[in-house]
Amino acid sequence: MEFILLISGLLFCISFVIFIFLKSYIDNKKEKKLMTEIFMKYGVKTNAKISYFIENHTYGRYIPGKYNYYISFEYNSTKCGALTCSYVLPTNNPKSKEYLKCDEIPIIYIPAHLDYYNGLISRKEFFNYIGHKLRLGNDQWLVISAEDISFFTNLDDF
């Protein structure tokens, strides 16, 4: 009897771990598909001026990128025309350090996200603009290094 309980407990644990991995894989595929759609429809590519650079020795939930670029660039707001935006651009791509030589880094951004980020539109207006609800926070990057497009979407190049 104890042997049967041990085996059933072990099978339950194994099936639970498999379920977690499968759910994570499916959720990541769905998120990449959604991000591909958003960047294809609304993404704008430009060069941003690098104001400051920090390389973190550790990174995680509260430090989203190994390399953080403090950038500024002009964008066409959905509400106010041309605006200058300052932003902290996180990336884990070591090749991005090559852009420090020329003081500019190519980025891709969503204009409505910058309007939301700068307080020009509400969260609801932002979601209406892109047609989807997203988790907005450190794990949702809508201003990205152009080289990182394949990490967040199904696109190899933009």
Side-chain angles (χ1 to χ4, degrees):
M1 185 69 170
E2 290 178 21
F3 181 72
I4 293 173
L5 286 174
L6 180 66
I7 295 296
S8 62
L10 186 60
L11 288 174
F12 174 77
C13 289
I14 290 170
S15 60
F16 183 71
V17 169
I18 290 171
F19 169 76
I20 296 293
F21 280 112
L22 285 174
K23 178 152 177 39
S24 176
Y25 175 76
I26 291 168
D27 287 349
N28 285 340
K29 274 188 92 156
K30 285 180 185 176
E31 186 172 323
K32 266 191 157 187
K33 183 179 177 188
L34 176 63
M35 295 303 288
T36 300
E37 182 182 326
I38 290 170
F39 274 100
M40 286 293 292
K41 263 184 161 173
Y42 305 107
V44 177
K45 187 175 183 178
T46 191
N47 285 332
K49 179 153 179 47
I50 300 171
S51 305
Y52 190 69
F53 168 77
I54 293 178
E55 182 174 348
N56 297 303
H57 297 291
T58 61
Y59 56 98
R61 185 175 188 174
Y62 299 107
I63 304 172
K66 178 151 176 77
Y67 310 103
N68 290 317
Y69 294 87
Y70 293 78
I71 59 172
S72 61
F73 57 97
E74 280 199 12
Y75 79 99
N76 286 324
S77 167
T78 60
K79 290 272 189 191
C80 304
L83 293 175
T84 300
C85 180
S86 296
Y87 199 85
V88 179
L89 177 71
T91 183
N92 295 326
N93 189 345
K95 291 194 309 185
S96 69
K97 289 172 71 174
E98 295 172 7
Y99 294 108
L100 291 171
K101 297 173 191 167
C102 60
D103 291 333
E104 284 190 347
I105 187 167
I107 63 168
I108 302 169
Y109 65 91
I110 308 298
H113 174 258
L114 293 175
D115 286 347
Y116 169 73
Y117 175 79
N118 289 320
L120 300 174
I121 62 174
S122 70
R123 182 183 196 104
K124 184 177 178 182
E125 288 174 302
F126 170 64
F127 291 152
N128 286 339
Y129 181 83
I130 63 169
H132 300 282
K133 286 191 176 185
L134 301 172
R135 286 176 299 157
L136 295 174
N138 286 345
D139 61 342
Q140 197 63 52
W141 298 358
L142 294 171
V143 177
I144 60 174
S145 167
E147 290 184 352
D148 290 346
I149 191 76
S150 63
F151 294 123
F152 299 102
T153 69
N154 294 326
L155 302 169
D156 291 329
D157 192 18
F158 188 81

